[in-house]
Amino acid sequence: MSKYIVENKQSSSFFMSFCFCLGIIAKQFYLLPNGSLQIGDILMMVPAVLLVLQGVIQIAPIDRKIGLFVLLAAGVNVAYYFYYKDAAFLKYTTYLVFSFIIIWTSRQLMEEVSFIRMLRISCYLAVLVQAAIAVLNMGRSLWGSRYIGTFNDPNQLAFYVFSVSMCGYACGVLLGERTSVFLQIPAIYLIYRSSSMSMTFGFLIFLAFAYLHPSWSQLKHGYLYLVLVLIAVGGFYLASEIGLLDNLRIPFLSDLTQSVLWKRTTGKIERADGGFFTAFIRDRSMGRILDEPIYLLFGAGEGHWIRYSTGNEIHCTMIALLYYYGVIPYLFFLTWIFSNLKGIKKQLIPVYIAIILEAFTLVNHRQPTFWLMFVIGSHVLAKAQVPDEESAEMADIMNDRVSNIKSIGKQSEKHHRALSERM
């Protein structure tokens, strides 16, 4: 009977892991308008339903902070819903609830290292699928210039590729397996095609520190290397502006300087006549923060964009959540992030530098992979006290714990029987 229970539990665990990872892959197929429940979302919800049916409802202590954030944020949105009679506040609340379910579900699944292995494979497979669609010209483009693939927006494509690549790399670190830079080439290609400046910036930061500079973890060298990277990028831009690259007649560089991504980047730099900070505030629709900073205290709610002159939302997750929900809920959000990342291995730090910096440029908090990344950072195998060479061994030990428990149970039963016979 006990053997049947253990095997049934293992089968159920595999099925839930499979559904979640398949959902990560399927998340790239936007069959319905933005904001709708997509097939990938449904697949990732299946494990949550099964866990509840199995009676697993406990919230990990580390996730109670983000639970409080969601609860308080929902309260702010509901209050504004009754004031403005705009259902958008309720819609954005459901996104937060969905994100919390993803956090809770992935936390449960990550107890099995087999899930981490499956997740790593799924992430790289997801990028390869999207790259194949692009190479075969089966994807779509926006306005005939920015590639969107199977998504509805170029930034959706870019963030998905960026985040699942980071997730795959992080899972490799947890398993003690070095990830080759060549696995990042499909992601680089897709982000370049999307012409997303934010994701290009984030991915370059990640590549610079994760692959190009092995001793970046020493603080003084890390800052020096970052300065050198910025100087190189600035020098490349200057050389392009004065025509030096045209005279060199290098095909790749010539194509790059004629690309949509390059023209968008240089165009925004040229429009920053009032200074970088002013241009950034204007470009990310954050002027309302300067106009009405009082909302930083108690929140303006997430929705009803027509009340603002720009008519849209703030394009910056790390600032938007503070403005939408106020300082107290935001502190729970920040505390949760730092609790997850406390003591992580140095190999993972480039991932979170890139993720957090990029979150200052776009809205990422409605994507499940944004939250999944921080759950990965809290895993025991992500912490610095676990040496890299021991990660794979520890992963095998954790994977075999059900078998060990079963073996101990049998030994205990034999010992009990022997004592009974003696008596």
Side-chain angles (χ1 to χ4, degrees), residues 17-53:
S17 297
F18 179 78
C19 284
F20 191 93
C21 292
L22 186 60
I24 293 290
I25 297 174
K27 183 63 179 166
Q28 63 190 298
F29 298 106
Y30 274 62
L31 305 179
L32 297 172
N34 292 343
S36 304
L37 197 65
Q38 308 292 343
I39 185 171
D41 301 321
I42 296 172
L43 285 168
M44 283 187 281
M45 288 288 287
V46 170
V49 174
L50 293 177
L51 285 168
V52 171
L53 291 176

Side-chain angles (χ1 to χ4, degrees), residues 245-279:
L245 298 182
D246 296 335
N247 296 332
L248 290 177
R249 296 181 181 179
I250 300 176
F252 171 75
L253 294 180
S254 178
D255 292 341
L256 179 61
T257 56
Q258 295 301 315
S259 67
V260 177
L261 175 62
W262 185 259
K263 291 177 180 177
R264 292 186 73 237
T265 304
T266 55
K268 290 194 176 186
I269 292 175
E270 291 169 357
R271 289 196 298 271
D273 51 357
F276 172 79
F277 180 75
T278 302

Side-chain angles (χ1 to χ4, degrees), residues 24 58 95 114 130 189 197 213 224 242 253 275 277 293 295 314 335 346 361 396:
I24 293 290
Q58 186 175 5
Y95 293 162
S114 57
Q130 194 63 217
Y189 168 71
M197 292 173 53
H213 189 56
L224 175 61
I242 63 179
L253 294 180
F277 180 75
Y295 288 112
I314 297 173
T335 304
K346 66 178 183 179
T361 62
D396 291 334

